Structure formats: C-alpha cells, structure tokens
Amino acid sequence: MGTPSDRVPLAERVEELLADGVPLTIVAAGDPVLRRGTEPYDGQLEPALLARFVEALRVTMRAAPGVGLAAPQVGVPLRIAVIEDPSPVPEEVALARGRVPQPFRVLVNPAYEPVGGTRAAFFEGCLSVPGWQAVVARHAEVRLTGQDEHGRALDEVFSGWPARIVQHETDHLDGVLYLDRAEPRSLSSNLAMAERWAQPTPEEAARALGFELP
C-alpha cells in the first residue's frame, strides 16, 4: 500500500513542488523514491508544465552545483533527467577523464547500451549522497536513445566523462545509485578526496586503499 503522496497524480505533485519555488529540494539517499524506478514519460505533464519542470531541474542542478539531475532526485518518479557540464577542470584532468563541455540538454525516457567492451574507473559523487565519493567502473562509451523535451528522437554515442554522466543519470531513473556500482573500499569523504585523492586518475587511491581497477 502506498502513502497518500504516492497516489497524487504526477502533474499535481509537480505543481506542488513548483509552488514552493526553486531551487527544488534534492532528495537524499534513504528516500524510497530513489529506489522505486520511474514511469516512462507519456504526456503526464502538459507542455507548459513540462517546460516549467525542466527549467526547475536546470536551476536546481546549477545551484547544487552538479552536472546532472534526475526527476526522482526531486521526488518525481518520471523518466526525465537533465545534464550540463561546463567542464571547469584543469587540462590534465580533462584529458585523463575524457571530460569535455556538454551543453544543457533534457533526456526523456533515456536508455543506454555499451559500445565496445572498454571500461573506465574514476571517483564519482552524487547530489543525493552528499559528502562522499567512490570509484565506479563504467562503460567508456555508450549509445544513448530516447527523446528530448519536444519529443524529438535522441540516438547518440557518448564517450569519456559525458558517457559517465548519462549512465549515472539514467541509472537514477531505474532506481540505481552510483554506490550500487562502486568499489566499496574506495568510499571517501569529500575532505579525504581533497587532501589525498585529487589526482586525475584513481590509481594511487587503488594502491593505498586496496582495490582493483579494470
């Protein structure tokens, strides 16, 4: 049996969220909405409301700040996410991680599949798990399909850090947190990251903390 809020129509729930103003509150790990998966988007929000919700996600992501935000992270179980990465990192880091700027974009009903068998492992964090980071091995290249907020088809190959972002955000829509895929021995506080593991790659952390990289 669901709670009363579970039975509120999604459009009404979104209207209530937006009425409280932006940025929206980001849901933290432990809230069931992050684990239930999401409904495919099929017009549950009329176009004007969808546009307002997407803008609220954008404002919330930027204010956090983060490079992606999925609807469940603000309590809405719809298969919608936004991404944007200005990539404000040193060139050495950008090269090691394949991090290149990504414009703001909306992912509706996204799904990904690996392209090739190469995997890359780097420290990763999440706005819904504040204060911590861990090493996650992910597909180095993925094909992402879905639609944008206007219903136009999306079929694009992402590699490097952008591939990591779209995998992370799409996972949210399936009730998966990055911790589910992380190397447990790598779990580090943000303070430890700043003091010890700020290198472009996690090789030193792997040696010191005792975990393997792909």
Side-chain angles (χ1 to χ4, degrees), residues 101-212:
Q102 288 295 299
F104 177 79
R105 60 199 305 172
V106 183
L107 310 180
V108 177
N109 299 328
Y112 68 80
E113 59 184 29
V115 176
T118 304
R119 295 172 68 81
F122 291 101
F123 274 101
E124 190 170 320
C126 179
L127 296 177
S128 291
V129 189
W132 299 91
Q133 297 182 51
V135 172
V136 184
R138 291 193 182 272
H139 304 297
E141 192 170 36
V142 296
R143 178 186 179 191
L144 187 77
T145 56
Q147 300 86 42
D148 68 10
E149 69 272 36
H150 304 295
R152 295 178 296 221
L154 171 65
D155 188 342
E156 187 172 340
V157 173
F158 290 81
S159 60
W161 205 258
R164 180 168 297 267
I165 294 171
V166 299
Q167 288 173 83
H168 182 116
E169 299 308 327
T170 303
D171 279 357
H172 269 303
L173 305 179
D174 294 324
V176 174
L177 295 179
Y178 86 99
L179 292 174
D180 301 331
R181 303 190 185 279
E183 167 52 60
R185 294 181 69 94
S186 71
L187 186 65
S188 302
S189 69
N190 284 348
L191 178 60
M193 285 293 304
E195 292 181 345
R196 296 177 179 271
W197 315 130
Q199 302 86 6
T201 66
E203 275 79 4
E204 187 174 334
R207 288 190 296 270
L209 299 176
F211 62 90
E212 295 184 358

Side-chain angles (χ1 to χ4, degrees), residues 56-73:
L57 289 175
R58 170 160 49 182
V59 170
T60 304
M61 174 182 63
R62 289 178 172 177
V67 296
L69 189 68
Q73 291 183 273

Side-chain angles (χ1 to χ4, degrees), residues 21 43 49 71 140:
L49 181 57

Side-chain angles (χ1 to χ4, degrees), residues 12 39 88 140 179 192:
E12 185 177 337
E39 292 183 22
L179 292 174

